[in-house]
Amino acid sequence: MARRALLSRLRLAPLLRDHHLRRFLSAATPPPDESPSDAPTPPSNSRLFVAGLSWSTDERSLMDAFSSFGTVTEDGVPSRCSTKRGEGHGRHERAQPRELFGKMPARDVVSCSSAIYRHARSGSYHEAVALFIGMMRAGVCPNSFTLVGVLLAVAGLGDSLLAECIHGWAIKSLLESNIFVATALVDAYSKSGCPMKALTVFGEIRDPNSVSWNAVISGFVHNNLFEEALLMFKRFCCYFGPVCNAITMVSVAKAYAGCDDIRMCKSAHAYSVKIGLDLNISVTNSILGMYLSFGDLEIGREIFRKIAVCDVVTWTMMMNFLLEKACAGEVIRAFVQMRSNGIVPDRVAMVSLVQACALLGDGRRGKSVHNQMIVRGFGSELPAVNSLIMMYSKCDDLSSARVLFDGTREKSLVSWTAMVSGYVGSGKPLEGMQLFGKMRREDMFAIDAVTLVSLLVGCYEIAKFELCVQLHGYIYKSGLCLYRIVLNTLMAVYGKCGYVSLARKVFDEMIPRDVVSWNTMILSYGINGQGDQAIALFDAMAESGEERDSVTYLNALLACSHSGLVDAGLTIFRKMITEKLINPCQEHIGCLVDMLARAGRLDKAAEVVSLTHKEGENAWMALMGGGHLHSDMELTKVAAEKVLKMNSFDYGHVVLLSNAYASAGKYSAAESIRSCYSKLTKKKTLGLSSIEVMPPST
């Protein structure tokens, strides 16, 4: 409702005030430079201040605009604290207001304003607010520059209540009409999630400049009000004429990308070329990001090739996009080309390269990238360390990952999650669970959705029902039940543990569901031998309007195979081909053969296998198992010859064939099979069993 009211207000509101509307209607000439007669007298250095706040092509935000003003203050006196940074005002310290204020050598409005701005500019938002509170308690009256500095800090904190307090002080001090204070208020309200209040303040500005317009446009974009941002941009163009402003175009490009309309994005691109901003690197990057947001690989490549001037941000954006499309090899080639163009990579580019090595499973190249990160000084930064841990884990080098993990002093939740998921993904879920227990003992982190999924996958691997129940309780207690991926994984674990009723309860409580939810529940029914319920859910999925994919049909076929519902399985397979036009893969063929072979229809199963060619791997394995199940030694032998010639066979297939010979009384042949293929295979993987040891009842 608030969004509709805001959009309606923008469309029906006049162009600010009446004299602005008259100026626009009569405006063959640009607005005059002189201020209205009733405007307050500008300060002595207003030209410098206006020059500093006017947006240049290199500036990114209101904070950068205030930085251009430098240390020139409202009363024209250079700041006495402009060259030295006060001790003890680091980003991570939380000193009290009186302590911060007491450490200042000079305690007048000039030095306080400069110190507040410097802290806000460096990201020490709490310290900037603490200094403002300290000067207020000491009786130092703030001026407009002070308010602009503290509002920059408020915008960084995103504190709407604090923004209202500063707004009230500005009204009390008769500073709300100051264009710089008002613009800073617009920015603070927007960054605090209050776009309606930002629009109200903007409407009260007597003569807004381009900075004020940019603040409200970027504020709408920050709050995902893309249509409203574009409407304000059109009004901006009506007021000022064609906008040759890089900062405006950056915000407009984000707004067009948020509207998800490729034609509108092309018009924005054409407009930036028309006004001569196509060579501005900031605008170019925003245009590239606008096209990449549509996820079209070919369009992204085409736009990237046409960019004349690229910086490290441009290359990094393209590398991250290629990572999303799983084009790891192309990421590495892009990095090499970037280096050949003389561009020095930053931390983000190096992390992208590490992730590409992880996708490729190339541990050797990953180690060389690790060395380069250390040489360039990124090796100790936590985001880089976390990406390296994940890379080593995916490359089956858990020892290197653990050494890196143990050598990190300040671990984050991402660090723990990367190591836990590394153990789980490498087939060592028990070690992952133990590490999770250590995390809970040492660091009081609030588990997020990614950590929960990793833990649930570990529960799935070892069918750890008790821990799954505990995590289920935590999911609802922490509000993570809103994440579908968490509930989908929870359903899979319950199904693996044999508790289909609990999985169905989770499924029924999910709002909304996706195709993965339906597929997971059908699979849970299938692996527990409840084929009728799986088929009923399969039909209910079609009635709900959810589109069934190839995985849905595969899970339904598996359910029919485990429950002996051959006729229903054949009907589903036929519909998949004729109605959905899904080309069956080797998993579908293997499941169909397994279904026929389990039911004793070996001739039909052999006929299906004979029709397969290169994709018959799973089919021959299923036929081999079916022949052994129904004591058809001849068919088992033929299928075994095919299976044992495949590169993907394991020792389990040898054991199956050996058992088939042993069942037929051919013990010498069984022993010969085992001794022959044991030399060609690696050491047999030992089985692992675990049981829950319950404490004795008292």
Side-chain angles (χ1 to χ4, degrees):
M1 188 64 186
R3 177 182 173 86
R4 292 181 179 178
L6 179 58
L7 187 58
S8 176
R9 184 174 177 181
L10 279 171
R11 286 171 174 161
L12 298 178
L15 284 175
L16 301 178
R17 297 186 181 274
D18 292 339
H19 66 277
H20 294 149
L21 182 60
R22 290 193 300 269
R23 180 182 301 174
F24 164 67
L25 294 176
S26 62
T29 59
D33 294 333
E34 56 269 16
S35 303
S37 57
D38 56 344
T41 304
S44 57
N45 284 302
S46 60
R47 291 186 178 180
L48 289 176
F49 197 54
V50 171
L53 284 174
S54 61
W55 294 92
S56 67
T57 57
D58 297 329
E59 292 165 334
R60 302 293 181 92
S61 64
L62 180 64
M63 188 177 294
D64 293 326
F66 190 61
S67 175
S68 300
F69 170 66
T71 59
V72 180
T73 55
E74 182 170 323
D75 53 6
V77 181
S79 170
R80 288 184 283 270
C81 300
S82 60
T83 57
K84 295 183 179 180
R85 184 180 177 86
E87 297 179 1
H89 300 328
R91 180 188 296 266
H92 302 290
E93 297 183 7
R94 290 291 180 268
Q96 295 299 319
R98 294 184 185 275
E99 296 177 1
L100 284 170
F101 188 75
K103 292 180 179 179
M104 295 184 60
R107 303 173 189 175
D108 56 6
V109 65
V110 177
S111 56
C112 290
S113 300
S114 177
I116 290 171
Y117 164 71
R118 285 191 292 106
H119 281 88
R121 183 68 180 86
S122 63
S124 302
Y125 306 125
H126 290 280
E127 287 78 359
V129 175
L131 277 173
F132 179 76
I133 296 173
M135 69 174 288
M136 293 287 289
R137 288 176 177 174
V140 180
C141 184
N143 57 19
S144 60
F145 304 145
T146 316
L147 295 183
V148 170
V150 73
L151 284 171
L152 294 178
V154 172
L157 294 173
D159 192 333
S160 60
L161 182 60
L162 189 55
E164 291 177 351
C165 294
I166 304 299
H167 191 183
W169 177 261
I171 295 174
K172 182 179 179 181
S173 305
L174 302 179
L175 293 174
E176 78 280 5
S177 60
N178 186 289
I179 187 172
F180 311 120
V181 175
T183 302
L185 277 169
V186 170
D187 185 62
Y189 275 131
S190 299
K191 300 294 176 55
S192 303
C194 301
M196 292 287 286
K197 294 179 180 179
L199 181 62
T200 301
V201 175
F202 177 75
E204 295 174 353
I205 299 177
R206 184 181 299 275
D207 191 10
N209 54 19
S210 61
V211 182
S212 307
W213 284 93
N214 286 334
V216 73
I217 293 172
S218 62
F220 283 143
V221 174
H222 180 80
N223 290 278
N224 295 330
L225 300 173
F226 304 117
E227 295 180 12
E228 292 80 354
L230 293 177
L231 188 57
M232 289 300 296
F233 172 67
K234 292 178 181 177
R235 295 176 62 188
F236 184 24
C237 293
C238 290
Y239 184 63
F240 283 101
V243 180
C244 296
N245 191 303
I247 300 300
T248 308
M249 285 307 303
V250 168
S251 299
V252 169
K254 293 179 181 178
Y256 276 116
C259 291
D260 199 22
D261 190 337
I262 187 66
R263 292 176 299 178
M264 296 175 64
C265 292
K266 289 180 179 178
S267 65
H269 189 187
Y271 183 80
S272 65
V273 174
K274 180 180 179 180
I275 61 180
L277 290 177
D278 54 316
L279 296 180
N280 183 279
I281 194 65
S282 300
V283 176
T284 300
N285 291 338
S286 63
I287 293 295
L288 177 62
M290 179 179 66
Y291 282 111
L292 295 182
S293 65
F294 291 92
D296 192 314
L297 187 60
E298 293 303 322
I299 292 179
R301 288 170 176 166
E302 181 182 358
I303 296 299
F304 181 74
R305 285 194 296 265
K306 292 181 179 179
I307 296 178
V309 181
C310 298
D311 62 355
V312 66
V313 177
T314 315
W315 286 96
T316 304
M317 289 174 60
M318 194 61 198
M319 291 168 64
N320 289 332
F321 177 71
L322 293 172
L323 277 176
E324 294 177 2
K325 298 301 179 181
C327 300
E330 200 168 344
V331 172
I332 295 176
R333 289 193 294 271
F335 182 84
V336 173
Q337 186 177 356
M338 179 186 71
R339 293 293 295 121
S340 64
N341 291 342
I343 298 177
V344 179
D346 58 1
R347 174 176 56 83
V348 180
M350 297 299 295
V351 169
S352 300
L353 191 60
V354 171
Q355 293 173 350
C357 294
L359 284 178
L360 293 173
D362 192 344
R364 182 185 60 81
R365 182 173 289 170
K367 286 185 177 180
S368 64
V369 176
H370 187 183
N371 294 334
Q372 285 297 313
M373 295 178 76
I374 295 175
V375 170
R376 298 183 182 279
F378 305 135
S380 60
E381 296 184 9
L382 193 56
V385 172
N386 293 338
S387 64
L388 287 168
I389 292 174
M390 186 62 69
M391 183 271 296
Y392 282 124
S393 300
K394 290 187 176 181
C395 295
D396 295 328
D397 191 357
L398 287 178
S399 59
S400 299
R402 190 57 189 264
V403 168
L404 198 59
F405 175 80
D406 292 336
T408 305
R409 293 184 178 180
E410 297 294 332
K411 301 180 181 69
S412 65
L413 180 61
V414 179
S415 310
W416 289 96
T417 303
M419 199 66 237
V420 170
S421 62
Y423 277 121
V424 172
S426 300
K428 297 182 179 180
L430 292 178
E431 288 84 344
M433 299 296 179
Q434 293 172 359
L435 187 63
F436 170 70
K438 183 179 179 182
M439 181 194 80
R440 298 295 290 171
R441 290 191 301 268
E442 294 184 1
D443 294 317
M444 294 303 296
F445 288 116
I447 307 174
D448 62 0
V450 180
T451 311
L452 264 176
V453 169
S454 299
L455 294 173
L456 288 171
V457 171
C459 294
Y460 183 88
E461 294 293 332
I462 58 177
K464 195 80 170 178
F465 174 70
E466 294 295 332
L467 180 57
C468 180
V469 173
Q470 296 176 23
L471 293 175
H472 190 179
Y474 182 85
I475 287 170
Y476 283 93
K477 181 180 178 181
S478 60
L480 294 174
C481 55
L482 300 177
Y483 292 88
R484 281 201 303 265
I485 186 174
V486 174
L487 296 184
N488 291 339
T489 313
L490 182 64
M491 276 195 301
V493 178
Y494 277 140
K496 176 69 176 292
C497 296
Y499 293 88
V500 189
S501 58
L502 292 178
R504 183 56 189 262
K505 184 178 180 181
V506 175
F507 177 80
D508 292 336
E509 293 175 352
M510 288 184 65
I511 300 176
R513 308 182 186 99
D514 58 0
V515 64
V516 179
S517 309
W518 291 89
N519 292 346
T520 304
M521 194 63 234
I522 293 173
L523 180 63
S524 298
Y525 278 129
I527 62 178
N528 286 279
Q530 301 183 21
D532 294 331
Q533 291 85 341
I535 294 176
L537 191 63
F538 178 80
D539 296 334
M541 182 178 180
E543 296 174 359
S544 69
E546 188 71 49
E547 189 69 23
R548 294 180 290 195
D549 58 7
S550 61
V551 179
T552 311
Y553 284 95
L554 178 62
N555 292 346
L557 288 172
L558 186 144
C560 294
S561 175
H562 282 231
S563 302
L565 304 174
V566 180
D567 294 334
L570 291 174
T571 302
I572 291 174
F573 187 80
R574 192 178 301 110
K575 287 183 178 180
M576 180 186 73
I577 298 176
T578 58
E579 296 180 6
K580 293 296 181 180
L581 302 178
I582 297 177
N583 188 24
C585 60
Q586 64 166 323
E587 285 80 11
H588 292 101
I589 300 296
C591 195
L592 178 63
V593 173
D594 182 66
M595 180 178 62
L596 293 170
R598 283 173 181 264
R601 303 184 185 182
L602 296 178
D603 294 338
K604 289 288 185 181
E607 183 180 352
V608 172
V609 174
S610 65
L611 297 177
T612 62
H613 300 285
K614 295 181 178 179
E615 296 184 349
E617 180 178 327
N618 291 345
W620 285 110
M621 292 179 184
L623 187 61
M624 177 182 172
H628 172 61
L629 179 65
H630 294 280
S631 302
D632 190 332
M633 192 61 214
E634 188 65 28
L635 185 62
T636 304
K637 183 179 179 180
V638 173
E641 291 177 355
K642 297 289 186 180
V643 171
L644 296 178
K645 291 180 180 179
M646 298 176 183
N647 296 327
S648 60
F649 88 97
D650 56 20
Y651 203 81
H653 303 140
V654 178
V655 172
L656 181 62
L657 180 60
S658 175
N659 291 340
Y661 277 112
S663 300
K666 301 179 179 180
Y667 300 106
S668 58
E671 182 64 27
S672 175
I673 288 292
R674 291 202 180 209
S675 60
C676 177
Y677 283 96
S678 62
K679 299 177 182 179
L680 303 178
T681 59
K682 297 179 180 179
K683 184 179 179 181
K684 180 182 176 182
T685 303
L686 299 178
L688 177 64
S689 300
S690 63
I691 60 173
E692 294 284 348
V693 180
M694 303 299 294
S697 58
T698 57

